[in-house]
Amino acid sequence: MSNSHRQPASPKGHLLVHQARASAEAGQWQSALVGFDQAERENSDWGLDPDFLNDRAVALFHNDRAHESLELLDRAINLQPQYGYRYAARGWMQQALRDIQGAIADYEKAVELDPEDAITLNNLGLLEEQIGRMQSAKERFAAADAMDRIASIEGTLELRRKQLAAAIETGSDKIDVYRRTVESLEANIGGIRDEAAALAAQGPSIAL
């Protein structure tokens, strides 16, 4: 019998990781850390998984082991240096530890890599307010608001695209209506993105 359609085996220790993540979601941080540690002892390859490193770092932080937590986030960044979320996660940790400058540096890198990350834009704006960079903070908040608006419109756009596809398939007389709606929503998103890009272009001059 052919094995070509079999699913690949889950990595060793994946049940422990699943249980640890469930404990973390329930706020049971000591139990979560025990699970993550057991999983890594069972399979050292988990130490090369940036998501695992991130989750274990959060568990360490909530167990008052912040220094070790930051080391894991550094490793996660080294594994995915072009992924904005990794810097945003470390920025959050720096912010929680009241390292404002370190958090700002990480948030700025995260936004550079992912300009549409509304949460990080907002977090960065809050910290810039704290150090008196009021104009920059105002523009971060405006950009974050723009990204939230885009996310809201994209949900509607996805629905209208499906309706358009169904209308085309069935030959409905609503094809033109759905097509105009899709084009209007796409144009709206494009306009908001242009506004956000214009704000981002001002960044270097206001960040000093």
Side-chain angles (χ1 to χ4, degrees), residues 79-124:
L79 288 167
Q80 288 184 313
Q82 299 303 313
Y83 184 27
Y85 175 77
R86 298 300 169 210
Y87 296 91
R90 190 174 66 181
W92 176 87
M93 195 75 70
Q94 305 269 34
Q95 182 176 354
L97 295 170
R98 294 180 171 78
D99 179 0
I100 303 303
Q101 294 298 334
I104 286 176
D106 274 337
Y107 285 151
E108 287 178 335
K109 182 63 176 179
V111 169
E112 175 189 326
L113 293 170
D114 183 5
E116 297 190 6
D117 183 345
I119 293 175
T120 299
L121 283 163
N122 189 69
N123 288 343
L124 179 53

Side-chain angles (χ1 to χ4, degrees), residues 159-172 175 178:
L159 173 62
R160 299 301 181 227
R161 281 173 172 163
K162 289 179 179 178
Q163 290 175 325
L164 173 59
I168 292 172
E169 185 176 348
T170 61
S172 169
I175 291 176
Y178 289 138

Side-chain angles (χ1 to χ4, degrees), residues 25-190:
E25 288 179 5
Q28 299 170 355
W29 295 109
Q30 194 168 20
S31 177
L33 183 57
V34 168
F36 288 131
D37 288 349
Q38 288 178 339
E40 190 165 19
R41 283 196 296 271
E42 189 169 309
N43 180 4
S44 61
D45 285 349
W46 284 110
L48 300 176
D49 182 327
D51 289 330
F52 175 88
L53 293 173
N54 182 87
D55 293 345
R56 184 166 177 262
V58 174
L60 282 166
F61 177 80
H62 285 286
N63 279 275
D64 299 319
R65 294 165 62 181
H67 180 71
E68 294 171 76
S69 178
L70 285 171
E71 289 179 348
L72 289 190
L73 294 178
D74 290 344
R75 286 167 57 188
I77 286 173
N78 288 337
L79 288 167
Q80 288 184 313
Q82 299 303 313
Y83 184 27
Y85 175 77
R86 298 300 169 210
Y87 296 91
R90 190 174 66 181
W92 176 87
M93 195 75 70
Q94 305 269 34
Q95 182 176 354
L97 295 170
R98 294 180 171 78
D99 179 0
I100 303 303
Q101 294 298 334
I104 286 176
D106 274 337
Y107 285 151
E108 287 178 335
K109 182 63 176 179
V111 169
E112 175 189 326
L113 293 170
D114 183 5
E116 297 190 6
D117 183 345
I119 293 175
T120 299
L121 283 163
N122 189 69
N123 288 343
L124 179 53
L126 290 171
L127 292 186
E128 288 181 325
E129 272 191 334
Q130 289 185 31
I131 62 172
R133 284 160 47 171
M134 306 307 291
Q135 182 61 29
S136 180
K138 180 180 177 181
E139 291 171 3
R140 303 292 189 189
F141 295 144
D145 179 66
M147 294 306 109
D148 283 336
R149 286 157 55 204
I150 287 174
S152 177
I153 296 170
E154 283 179 332
T156 303
L157 176 59
E158 181 63 21
L159 173 62
R160 299 301 181 227
R161 281 173 172 163
K162 289 179 179 178
Q163 290 175 325
L164 173 59
I168 292 172
E169 185 176 348
T170 61
S172 169
D173 59 2
K174 293 185 177 180
I175 291 176
D176 287 341
V177 173
Y178 289 138
R179 181 174 286 121
R180 286 196 299 271
T181 301
V182 167
E183 290 172 353
S184 175
L185 290 170
E186 289 174 339
N188 196 353
I189 289 175

